[in-house]
Amino acid sequence: MLKIKTISIALFATFFAFSAMAEMISMGLTGSALYYDASGHEKMKSSGNKTNKSESGAAGFVSIFIEGTLPNTDTIVGLDVIPYSSKIGDGSNSVPDTDVEDDADTAGTNKVDVLMSNAVMLYIEQPVDIPGLSNFGDSFIKLGYSQMTLETDETVQTGSTYGDESMDGIHVGVGMRGDMDSGGFWKAGLLYTSYDGATFKGSSDVDSVNNTIELEDMDTLSLRISVGQSF
């Protein structure tokens, strides 16, 4: 609830800020189908061994956007917010009890869900003539910067837990825009995003060991469909 209130306040503040500086204000919803590819490793503190792993998958989510056209230009500046936590992946692996000299049985299956939350993107859309796209609508290129929190919801047999980490992303994309008969507008586009890495440090497990998961990089490609209304 606190996250929703914070995001709502941010959206209203952005709306009034855009109203003061922009010639036209627009708001709407965006549905995204996202493909991700991530790689990293887990380092075992007790042995120093590293286990490399890569993961890819798909996820979908809905976001809210507010944007405005800068005075005397056709450049659009906007803010895109995902107002909830969205699951983007999961995983599991079976592990043996590597320390048989104590009373703790740490064999079993480790499970984890990965969620994206507090995702906010600041973007610029600049109309340009893109051969092929311009036949279907007003084409544009898109550049953006975002921040999000990557949350882990894990069940680990050793009892260890991992915290959440913030990540920054750089966005580059292309799209097209057109008017609807209802008076609103639509947008469609592809957006590539490169996120920086993150380090997740585990809490002490039953053997007083702290493992570390290093997410080295994560890239995404998303198909985005938007509908909105200008004011």
Side-chain angles (χ1 to χ4, degrees), residues 80-100:
D80 186 276
V81 177
I82 302 175
Y84 61 95
S85 295
S86 176
K87 180 180 175 180
I88 61 173
D90 56 43
S92 64
N93 68 310
S94 298
V95 294
D97 186 358
T98 57
D99 187 358
V100 296

Side-chain angles (χ1 to χ4, degrees), residues 6-17:
T6 301
I7 291 172
S8 299
I9 293 172
L11 284 173
F12 277 114
T14 303
F15 177 82
F16 288 116

Side-chain angles (χ1 to χ4, degrees), residues 28-226:
L29 297 175
T30 297
S32 298
L34 177 144
Y35 171 82
Y36 67 87
D37 184 70
S39 61
H41 66 264
E42 182 178 18
K43 183 177 181 181
M44 311 298 289
K45 185 175 180 181
S46 56
S47 63
N49 293 333
K50 290 184 179 181
T51 302
N52 296 314
K53 189 173 183 180
S54 60
E55 189 75 29
S56 59
F61 55 87
V62 176
S63 58
I64 303 170
F65 70 88
I66 177 172
E67 59 188 29
T69 304
L70 296 180
N72 303 317
T73 73
D74 52 7
T75 302
I76 293 175
V77 177
L79 189 71
D80 186 276
V81 177
I82 302 175
Y84 61 95
S85 295
S86 176
K87 180 180 175 180
I88 61 173
D90 56 43
S92 64
N93 68 310
S94 298
V95 294
D97 186 358
T98 57
D99 187 358
V100 296
E101 296 181 358
D102 59 20
D103 295 330
D105 182 8
T106 59
T109 300
N110 296 335
K111 299 179 181 180
V112 62
D113 289 333
V114 181
L115 301 96
M116 175 175 60
S117 67
N118 301 324
V120 179
M121 174 177 63
L122 178 65
Y123 63 87
I124 296 175
E125 292 178 357
Q126 181 61 51
V128 295
D129 184 21
I130 301 177
L133 287 184
S134 300
N135 297 331
F136 301 96
D138 298 327
S139 55
F140 59 84
I141 58 173
K142 187 169 190 169
L143 301 175
Y145 167 80
S146 69
Q147 290 187 331
M148 72 167 183
T149 300
L150 205 61
E151 301 178 352
T152 59
D153 184 9
E154 63 277 320
T155 301
V156 181
Q157 298 302 313
T158 61
S160 181
T161 58
Y162 293 88
D164 306 328
E165 293 293 333
S166 297
M167 299 179 66
D168 299 333
I170 300 297
H171 308 264
V172 180
V174 296
M176 52 189 175
R177 179 185 182 123
D179 295 326
M180 297 190 298
D181 294 337
S182 61
F185 64 89
W186 59 267
K187 293 194 290 184
L190 289 173
L191 190 67
Y192 167 78
T193 307
S194 177
Y195 290 98
D196 61 3
T199 300
F200 300 86
K201 295 182 178 180
S203 62
S204 298
D205 60 21
V206 294
D207 295 323
S208 299
V209 172
N210 304 83
N211 298 330
T212 300
I213 295 178
E214 184 81 23
L215 179 61
E216 295 165 351
D217 59 67
M218 184 172 76
D219 300 323
T220 68
L221 182 65
S222 57
L223 172 64
R224 299 166 58 88
I225 306 295
S226 306

